[in-house]
Amino acid sequence: VSTGWSGNRLERLITADGEVLVAKRVEPSADWIGRNTGDHGREALLFTEGAFERMSAIDPAVVAAEPDGDRAWWIVMRDVSGALLDGGSPITREQNRVVMRAANSMWEEFWGESHDFLCDQAARIGITAPRVAERERNAMDLLPKQFEAGWDALAQAIDKDVGEAILALLGDVASLSDEIASYGTTLLHGDLRDEQIGFGADTLIALDWGVATQGHPVVDLAWYMVHDVWRIEATHDEVVDDFRRARGDHDDPRAVDLLGLVGLLMYGWIFGICAGIHTDPTEQR
């Protein structure tokens, strides 16, 4: 069906009784994301450890997970493609609230727990840092080879002192991550965005848990916003307000204050490409 950005292989299966399934083969050591986040098959482990069963408002669609030798896993999912968001339709304000409420139910369920197979928060925030590009320079994956050019373009597009500060933080994400983690951690999806979600009858469908992270919910929100705020029928402030309302009594203004910085550290290289390399004037603006 697709090779994806990470190198995982997807196959569509039709069972004898006509049910359509999707099987994904995950080999973390052969995947640049897996190598740089210490993955040993965390998406499969979320299933085998029973974490998916505890998600009352989220449907990961996973029905089986089996090891394939010592280095790989097969993860089998229901085919929920008909319920996923399409490429361009807007996300309504109410749908955005559904996303926030569903995600918050997961954050609350796993609050304070620690699972050693999850991605470290600092690794998640810094997954596109120049040092990752350096480590992956001689590997096959295309995406890491774009990081350095993107960060250089961002540094040229913004004020020099800001660019220097951002690049310095990318070199030492741990200090910022530790501050965020001091406000509490939980299970994060790690890649919460439009291409991974859909709406079931009573649940939010959320696929692709390969970078599920031990971290603070503001990291999930930052990634979701840099990807999706363009298609949400709400202002930036309204999206943040929906998050804070979903968090309720556990809303933490200290973490929310770091939202923009976290998003910039995770996605700034793309902003740099848009501002300095992309040939479309609309993208540049």
Side-chain angles (χ1 to χ4, degrees):
V1 179
S2 170
T3 56
W5 282 105
S6 62
N8 297 325
R9 191 174 82 213
L10 297 176
E11 298 183 2
R12 180 170 286 119
L13 313 174
I14 302 177
T15 65
D17 61 0
E19 183 180 8
V20 180
L21 301 171
V22 174
K24 177 167 65 173
R25 189 177 186 275
V26 177
E27 186 177 348
S29 63
D31 167 3
W32 75 271
I33 297 175
R35 287 192 295 271
N36 288 281
T37 63
D39 188 13
H40 300 288
R42 62 177 60 97
E43 184 169 14
L45 292 169
L46 284 166
F47 176 82
T48 60
E49 297 292 321
F52 286 153
E53 292 182 353
R54 295 169 57 187
M55 297 182 186
S56 59
I58 292 180
D59 176 13
V62 177
V63 297
E66 295 287 344
D68 181 6
D70 296 330
R71 300 174 58 188
W73 290 83
W74 280 101
I75 300 167
V76 183
M77 301 165 282
R78 304 188 326 276
D79 185 352
V80 294
S81 54
L84 299 179
L85 285 173
D86 61 27
S89 297
I91 298 173
T92 68
R93 181 77 184 276
E94 182 51 38
Q95 285 177 321
N96 182 66
R97 288 167 173 160
V98 169
V99 174
M100 293 295 100
R101 290 194 296 264
N104 187 65
S105 71
M106 175 184 68
W107 300 328
E108 289 296 307
E109 172 67 25
F110 294 92
W111 190 261
E113 294 185 15
S114 180
H115 301 270
D116 58 8
F117 57 81
L118 295 178
C119 176
D120 176 76
Q121 181 174 256
R124 178 64 191 90
I125 295 173
I127 192 61
T128 65
R131 66 177 177 276
V132 175
E134 178 64 31
R135 286 197 291 262
E136 294 294 319
R137 194 175 308 285
N138 296 320
M140 293 178 60
D141 297 288
L142 172 64
L143 207 60
K145 294 173 172 55
Q146 303 177 40
F147 295 158
E148 290 167 303
W151 288 116
D152 286 346
L154 181 73
Q156 294 174 36
I158 61 180
D159 291 343
K160 181 179 179 181
D161 58 338
V162 179
E164 290 175 348
I166 292 299
L167 292 176
L169 270 174
L170 279 171
D172 181 23
V173 176
S175 57
L176 174 66
S177 179
D178 288 347
E179 179 180 349
I180 299 170
S182 72
Y183 306 142
T185 68
T186 184
L187 167 62
L188 308 180
H189 181 280
D191 196 10
L192 189 66
R193 55 188 170 92
D194 48 2
E195 293 179 353
Q196 315 281 31
I197 64 173
F199 298 92
D202 301 306
T203 57
L204 174 74
I205 297 168
L207 306 181
D208 200 350
W209 296 75
V211 285
T213 297
Q214 184 79 41
H216 192 279
V218 77
V219 175
D220 258 352
L221 175 65
W223 187 246
Y224 172 74
M225 287 188 70
V226 294
H227 274 280
D228 293 354
V229 78
W230 67 272
R231 65 186 295 183
I232 300 172
E233 293 180 325
T235 66
H236 288 68
D237 288 345
E238 287 171 338
V239 174
V240 176
D241 185 60
D242 289 344
F243 167 80
R244 301 188 72 173
R245 288 178 181 273
R247 295 293 293 141
D249 293 340
H250 291 159
D251 173 48
D252 193 330
R254 298 170 300 174
V256 175
D257 281 345
L258 297 171
L259 171 65
L261 180 58
V262 173
L264 187 57
L265 289 171
M266 291 197 291
Y267 211 60
W269 71 282
I270 287 286
F271 297 146
I273 288 175
C274 292
I277 299 175
H278 207 292
T279 57
D280 185 343
T282 301
E283 288 287 344
Q284 293 171 8
R285 286 194 296 272

